[in-house]
Amino acid sequence: YICVLGVLLSGPVMAIERPSEPKTAAAVTAADEAWGDAEKRGDADFVDKLLLPEYLSIGADGKVTTKAMIVDHTRSRGASSSFAKSVDDWKAAHPMHSEVVITGDTAILTWVSDQPGSGPIGSCDIFVYQHGRWRGLYSQHTSALH
């Protein structure tokens, strides 16, 4: 009995799993904001786990960006105070709020300008709920006015 207990205690420690994220608009917005924060920190591993393998982003100019491109760019840039400042400055100049629609395991998050008629809709991100987590599948960026 003591030998078996000793073997069990000396084995690898099981990783503690995080609780599932709720299927709420607030959780979708939090996932999207965590993504942006990870890019500012240069945390490519976080971005890699958040985005599904099929992830695509279509820019306002029509340019297609893949998950691999985003992860590689985040990794190569690393933590950059100048990049973080430029993102924060842009957000301060373009105040927006999120609007989220959830249908089943799919969420559509749209960043809408708080200055109707004068600013762009920043983006629309589609998330899929898998294994208790919101994961990015697709983004569409636009310069359309709201």
Side-chain angles (χ1 to χ4, degrees), residues 10-29:
S10 67
V13 177
M14 297 289 289
I16 299 173
E17 290 188 34
R18 296 182 314 174
S20 294
E21 296 170 348
K23 289 174 97 174
T24 63
V28 173
T29 300

Side-chain angles (χ1 to χ4, degrees), residues 34-91:
W35 174 7
D37 291 343
E39 285 199 51
K40 289 193 302 187
R41 288 190 316 272
D43 188 348
D45 291 338
F46 181 91
V47 175
D48 187 42
K49 289 175 186 168
L50 178 77
L51 301 179
L52 290 168
E54 308 84 2
Y55 175 84
L56 290 176
S57 175
I58 311 300
D61 60 0
K63 181 181 173 189
V64 176
T65 305
T66 65
K67 171 188 175 173
M69 294 165 72
I70 291 172
V71 171
D72 289 346
H73 189 251
T74 302
R75 183 171 285 114
S76 66
R77 184 182 57 247
S80 167
S81 59
S82 63
F83 175 73
K85 183 179 179 341
S86 70
V87 170
D88 292 341
D89 289 349
W90 190 91
K91 284 184 173 184

